Amino acid sequence: MYQFTYYAPTEVIFGADSILKTESLIKKYGGKKVLLLYGGGSVRSSGLLNHLEEILEAESIPYVELGGVVPNPRLSLVYRGIDLCREEHVDFILAIGGGSVIDSAKAIGYGLANDGDVWDFYEHTRQAKAGFPVGVILTIAAAGSEMSWGSVITKEEGQVKRAYDDDLARPKFAILDPGLTQSLSAYQTSCGCTDILMHTMERYFTVESTMEITDNIAEALMRTVIKNALVLQRDPGNYAARAELMWAGSLSHNGLTGCGNGGSDFSTHMLEHEIGGMFDVAHGAGLSALWGSWARYVYLSCLPRFERFAVQVMGVGAGYSPEKTALKGIEAVEMFFRAIHMPTSLSELGVFPTEEQLAQLAHMCSIAAGGTMGTAKKLKEGDMLAIYQMAVQ
Ligand code: NZQ
Ligand code: ZN
């Protein structure tokens, strides 16, 4: 067991009609003028944005709006947000959407609270010294950004997608109403389920020692995500299943499922971020397209964990060798991805990189990783290239 700090300061308000608490939460965290930040239109068509405008107007809380955040959110919009907030003297950002909107809100906040170019943080050439208050109304269970320290932004020039992690960015509050996710497409729902599952899997596959309580929490979370993702295939409007997934999404990436474990892997995420930067794919679909290739490349280096995962999470029965059990677990995950219509290769994802692009992806990934990455198996640039090549089929 390793020492750990568990820091999850975000106030969570969960359940139907929880958006009615928005105004009191903004006031509680000192907001006097608010930026309403949102994406490409779903919050307008669902009526959510209108409802929030009415709530703020009824309480005489002034606000300005900025829409247009896209998946794989862009740095240019972050700069626009920083300028707008300075001009309008905004002191609180309300992110209404998913990971892309929340991450943009965090990035705008870094820009407002610190001098210099905000991209420096994402390039890891310096650390932020101060944070800016951000609240969240979540509309998709997926990235876990509503409670996480992460923020992932894409710089258009060079198509570079980079993450910056800092506790300063953890949102003040997160309003989680599962009903808000009922308007999601089947595809975005499945992308979200994949991402939630992966955030715990990335923490689970390690060769270091772990804690029994953390393993049990992680396994229960993964089983719950798989079960309820399949429920939504049959019954997309199922509120109870959406509630399970929404809470799983927050818990899967707020640190809970890694407490006391040695290291976390996050190689599939690192590999995916390069694919997302170059080909602009949905994050969850990029993860499922790569995971099987990563798993087959590393499983012998982390065999006890893959074996335990196969039995405890994927329900693989007794009577096989450890290697066979591990492989059956990997196959079962891929069957699950297919059952929720997620790709298990880059070609199924609709991405057909040339050899030159594969080499570039591996090179960029190794730069982002600082040379090596992974705890299930340490990966260098040549390993990253081999995994991308395996994932092409
Ligand atoms: O833009 P709108 O019209 O709102 O449509 C969005 C978007 O097209 C749509 N959507 C969201 N809620 C909806 C809805 N459509 C209908 N009804 C609703 N209720 O869904 C699409 C995807 O939204 P996005 O915010 O991109 O999804 P997600 O939450 O999966 O976020 C993905 C981003 O988060 C990053 C990813 O890399 C990616 O850029 N991540 C952030 C992390 C973090 N901050 O801790 C960790 C993750 O591993 C991840 O890397
Ligand atoms: Zn993710």
Side-chain angles (χ1 to χ4, degrees):
M1 184 233 136
Y2 286 73
Q3 287 183 321
F4 65 88
T5 299
Y6 178 58
Y7 182 63
T10 305
E11 181 172 349
V12 173
I13 303 89
F14 195 99
D17 294 330
S18 43
I19 70 158
L20 298 175
K21 304 259 170 60
T22 306
E23 152 273 324
S24 62
L25 287 160
I26 290 172
K27 286 183 179 160
K28 176 174 176 179
Y29 290 104
K32 294 195 172 48
K33 181 152 188 189
V34 180
L35 172 69
L36 300 182
L37 185 69
Y38 55 93
S42 73
V43 294
R44 184 70 74 191
S45 55
S46 68
L48 175 61
L49 188 61
N50 251 327
H51 194 174
L52 285 166
E53 289 165 350
E54 284 166 14
I55 289 173
L56 296 189
E57 279 158 24
E59 294 298 325
S60 304
I61 299 177
Y63 64 85
V64 289
E65 295 187 3
L66 180 61
V69 176
V70 293
N72 298 316
R74 309 299 201 267
L75 182 61
S76 56
L77 188 126
V78 170
Y79 290 145
R80 274 176 54 205
I82 294 168
D83 290 344
L84 177 66
C85 288
R86 285 207 176 113
E87 281 159 24
E88 295 285 343
H89 305 290
V90 163
D91 60 11
F92 193 93
I93 304 174
L94 185 63
I96 313 157
S100 297
V101 175
I102 304 166
D103 289 0
S104 300
K106 291 175 176 179
I108 293 169
Y110 285 133
L112 292 171
N114 299 274
D115 293 331
D117 186 352
V118 71
W119 185 248
D120 295 348
F121 306 129
Y122 295 83
E123 282 198 314
H124 302 131
T125 53
R126 64 190 175 103
Q127 292 276 316
K129 292 202 171 75
F132 191 88
V134 168
V136 172
I137 297 182
L138 189 66
T139 64
I140 172 172
S145 186
E146 65 276 9
M147 287 187 84
S148 84
W149 68 345
S151 159
V152 190
I153 298 294
T154 296
K155 184 180 188 177
E156 292 91 328
E157 188 192 336
Q159 295 163 298
V160 199
K161 182 172 175 177
R162 290 286 175 268
Y164 178 57
D165 298 335
D166 198 314
D167 280 330
L168 291 168
R170 297 206 193 244
K172 298 290 180 205
F173 66 80
I175 289 178
L176 309 185
D177 176 353
L180 296 180
T181 70
Q182 283 170 326
S183 55
L184 278 165
S185 67
Y187 182 71
Q188 286 298 343
T189 297
S190 292
C191 286
C193 293
T194 303
D195 197 20
I196 297 169
L197 186 62
M198 284 295 311
H199 288 154
T200 290
M201 287 165 81
E202 298 275 26
R203 291 172 167 90
Y204 188 87
F205 291 107
T206 173
V207 292
E208 309 283 340
S209 68
T210 60
M211 282 185 85
E212 188 182 335
I213 179 131
T214 298
D215 283 345
N216 286 327
I217 290 170
E219 287 160 1
L221 185 145
M222 291 187 281
R223 287 193 299 265
T224 305
V225 172
I226 290 169
K227 178 182 165 194
N228 287 286
L230 293 171
V231 169
L232 290 185
Q233 287 298 307
R234 301 188 297 273
D235 181 10
N238 191 306
Y239 181 90
R242 290 199 174 270
E244 299 286 352
L245 288 161
M246 197 167 219
W247 189 219
S250 299
L251 295 182
S252 193
H253 203 37
N254 77 354
L256 178 70
T257 60
C259 288
N261 284 10
S264 51
D265 194 87
F266 276 90
S267 295
T268 312
H269 266 74
M270 299 288 284
L271 292 163
E272 192 287 328
H273 283 173
E274 300 311 319
I275 297 280
M278 192 179 281
F279 297 102
D280 201 15
V281 298
H283 174 60
L287 292 171
S288 68
L290 292 166
W291 185 80
S293 298
W294 169 83
R296 286 192 175 78
Y297 193 82
V298 308
Y299 81 100
L300 289 174
S301 303
C302 189
L303 194 54
R305 289 303 267 182
F306 274 90
E307 190 186 2
R308 178 177 168 144
F309 172 83
V311 174
Q312 298 295 337
V313 181
M314 303 314 294
V316 174
Y320 304 104
S321 67
E323 286 91 340
K324 188 77 188 160
T325 305
L327 278 173
K328 279 187 167 287
I330 294 169
E331 283 160 16
V333 172
E334 290 179 323
M335 273 173 61
F336 163 70
F337 286 151
R338 288 190 196 103
I340 63 167
H341 305 285
M342 284 287 100
T344 56
S345 68
L346 290 176
S347 56
E348 283 175 25
L349 180 64
V351 163
F352 303 92
T354 62
E355 271 303 318
E356 198 185 327
Q357 284 174 320
L358 290 172
Q360 194 188 340
L361 286 165
H363 185 59
M364 297 280 284
C365 190
S366 92
I367 291 174
T372 56
M373 64 183 189
T375 44
K377 178 182 169 78
K378 287 255 172 290
L379 303 175
K380 296 195 173 130
E381 187 173 328
D383 303 304
M384 299 169 201
L385 178 59
I387 294 170
Y388 281 131
Q389 285 168 331
M390 282 169 73
V392 163
Q393 286 79 19

